[in-house]
Amino acid sequence: MQQLEGKVVVVTGASSGIGRALALELVATGARVVAAARNRDELLGLAAEAKSRWGRDVHVITADVTRPEDNESLVAETVQAHGRLDVFVANAGMTMRARLVDADLESLRRVFEVNFWGARYGIRAALPHVVAQGGSIVGVSSIAGYRGLPGRAAYSGSKFDLNGLLEVVRAEYLAQGLHVLTACPGFTQSNIRKRALKADGSPGGESFRNEGEMMTAEQCAVHIVRAIVQRRRTLILTRQGRLAVWLNKLWPSLADRLVWQTMRREADPVV
């Protein structure tokens, strides 16, 4: 997509899942991609794949989004190396499967630190540079940010907060023409479920849903990149996701029952 060719794009949480797919899709458009995550080995694997497929470099930066100083350094290193920052994609995320009453409090806090505070720190650091370029702030949220999911108290809560943050940023910079995209995938094939925390805070280690029935991370990335180019306000993916958002607005009591039934069908349900 020519509109992104030569643009400098930061993607957090780029070591796996949607973030990795996004980074590769952006490289394919000709964007200059800065990939950030905690796992440097996985980032280097991403860079090697981009080089072998398109002959293009990916700038790899190891960063923990829950640390404000890492976000500041990420943005500063990007601008120093590339002279600008056009698009900042706050993608890093994690989830937890537990009823609120059963969930370890520190683990609940950790999910918010990654999904909300991590996005806030990164967006705040990136804003002056992105605004100067008339660029885009992208938050990879979730359908769970529009409709609370039973057994996902921390995840849904953090994504509701992220959606609100993105609305605030959009409104605050309305006069400057800043583009803000709230991208909300439905259930997508990724490692997020395998890495989901259990009630006691330990990692689950395996997916609890049929991954084969879901949109792939690569398909999700294509939609998000297209939405960036089109400067869309909101992207809600999958038919199930759009139905959940629509029903929650028009018939919330039915939405309550349907989401409960959906989560009950998971392997080893927690509700």
Side-chain angles (χ1 to χ4, degrees):
M1 298 181 184
Q2 291 184 349
Q3 296 92 327
L4 288 176
E5 187 170 355
K7 303 291 187 183
V8 178
V9 185
V10 170
V11 181
T12 68
S15 59
S16 65
I18 292 173
R20 189 179 197 279
L22 265 174
L24 290 172
E25 183 65 22
L26 287 161
V27 170
T29 70
R32 290 182 283 168
V33 175
V34 178
R38 291 180 300 166
N39 191 316
R40 187 168 183 82
D41 289 341
E42 290 184 357
L43 290 176
L44 292 174
L46 161 67
E49 181 175 348
K51 190 72 170 180
S52 66
R53 290 175 65 180
W54 298 288
R56 295 174 179 153
D57 293 322
V58 170
H59 186 161
V60 168
I61 299 178
T62 306
D64 181 344
V65 297
T66 67
R67 295 168 56 89
E69 59 270 28
D70 280 20
N71 288 276
E72 296 285 349
S73 297
L74 168 61
V75 170
E77 183 175 337
T78 297
V79 174
Q80 182 177 21
H82 301 281
R84 60 193 289 172
L85 174 54
D86 298 278
V87 181
F88 185 88
V89 183
N91 166 78
M94 66 183 302
T95 190
M96 181 180 189
R97 296 180 70 234
R99 295 191 310 160
L100 179 60
V101 70
D102 299 325
D104 171 69
L105 292 179
E106 286 302 317
S107 299
L108 285 171
R109 186 176 292 109
R110 175 66 180 171
V111 174
F112 271 85
E113 286 176 350
V114 174
N115 294 356
F116 173 70
W117 285 102
R120 179 193 176 278
Y121 295 143
I123 290 170
R124 186 176 186 274
L127 267 171
H129 305 284
V130 175
V131 170
Q133 298 299 327
S136 300
I137 295 291
V138 181
V140 179
S141 184
S142 171
I143 300 304
Y146 282 96
R147 164 67 232 189
L149 301 182
R152 303 293 190 280
Y155 186 71
S156 283
S158 64
K159 293 300 187 179
F160 267 86
D161 281 359
L162 176 58
N163 287 1
L165 173 68
L166 294 167
E167 287 187 357
V168 167
V169 172
R170 185 185 296 114
E172 288 183 347
Y173 288 89
L174 196 63
Q176 288 88 346
L178 176 69
H179 169 231
V180 178
L181 169 64
T182 304
C184 295
F187 290 116
T188 304
Q189 294 177 19
S190 75
N191 287 334
I192 192 169
R193 277 169 298 281
K194 295 179 181 179
R195 297 175 178 176
L197 301 181
K198 295 189 292 188
D200 63 0
S202 62
E206 60 184 87
S207 179
F208 37 85
R209 303 189 68 86
N210 185 345
E211 300 279 325
E213 297 178 352
M214 302 177 193
M215 177 180 284
T216 67
E218 290 73 21
Q219 290 169 328
C220 181
V222 169
H223 287 290
I224 294 175
V225 170
R226 184 180 299 129
I228 296 171
V229 171
Q230 295 171 345
R231 296 178 75 86
R232 291 182 57 178
R233 173 191 180 95
T234 307
L235 176 67
I236 298 176
L237 290 174
T238 76
R239 182 170 58 183
Q240 183 185 43
R242 289 189 289 271
L243 177 62
V245 173
W246 180 79
L247 273 179
N248 200 51
K249 290 179 179 179
L250 300 181
W251 199 349
S253 61
L254 177 59
D256 286 342
R257 293 194 296 273
L258 291 178
V259 296
W260 182 84
Q261 291 169 3
T262 297
M263 306 315 271
R264 283 288 299 171
R265 288 196 292 270
E266 290 184 336
D268 188 25
V270 296
V271 295

